[in-house]
Amino acid sequence: LRGDMIPSHYAGRNPNQPQPLGLNVAVATDQRVWPIRVNPGVNRGYRADHLRDGRLAAFTSACAPLIYRGDLLPPEFRGNAFVCEPAANLVRRNLLIERDGIVTAANAHPRAEFLASTDERFRPVNLANGPDGALYIVDFYRGIIEHKLSLTSYLREQILDRGLDRHLHLGRIYRVVPDGARRRPTEKMTRAPARELVARLAHPNGWWRDTAQRLLVERGGTDAGPALRALAGGGSPLGRV
């Protein structure tokens, strides 16, 4: 997990500062992962320093970082950073800690993971905040995840030995919710009047705020002006932003 301590588009305006400090910082310095199955089917899996008790020892294919901005999971999940690790069949949950202007990350589940699978074909590759407040996980569900240029002779033997080149086109999407959570009614925001979209700018779920802002920008015009001015002058902090 890496991040910018300052907005990168500001730093890019200064031609005399080609490599500004505070950009692309390693927020999570502990790269250890904790799979719940052996992971021999990874490049260099024969090396002792690559595996720990037959399981992947450290991140090797981190992807799809997401800040949870929903309102369905418990409050302690708000602002957490989730990262996929398809090679180890798991999803990491990071707690973000800000101290003296520096942001660092720590595994929310020491020596364990937020989500891990015993299925070698479980390949989480993307994450999303949903309109219902849930966390969505896209599972590629595939034995081979490397480009052919990255397939070593060792990995090719692993694939053929366990038939990881078979069972294709079985990807799925998981919806992560608390126990007992009820489905929320859907709304068609594209048909909502401007005043309703402005009200959504203060919604506790970031998906609604983002979508309302996008629709207002796409529509253009000035009909949302009075409601926007009222929200900026006395609405919630989220709405004012």
Side-chain angles (χ1 to χ4, degrees), residues 28 34 67 71 73 130 165 187-188 206 225 227 235:
W34 307 95
I67 304 297
D71 61 343
L73 298 182
D165 56 330
E187 301 178 35
K188 293 187 177 181

Side-chain angles (χ1 to χ4, degrees), residues 188-198 211-224:
K188 293 187 177 181
M189 293 181 67
T190 54
R191 301 177 183 176
R195 64 179 183 279
E196 291 186 13
L197 293 179
V198 172
T211 305
Q213 181 177 359
R214 175 177 60 80
L215 291 174
L216 285 168
V217 172
E218 289 177 350
R219 288 183 185 182
T222 60
D223 57 333

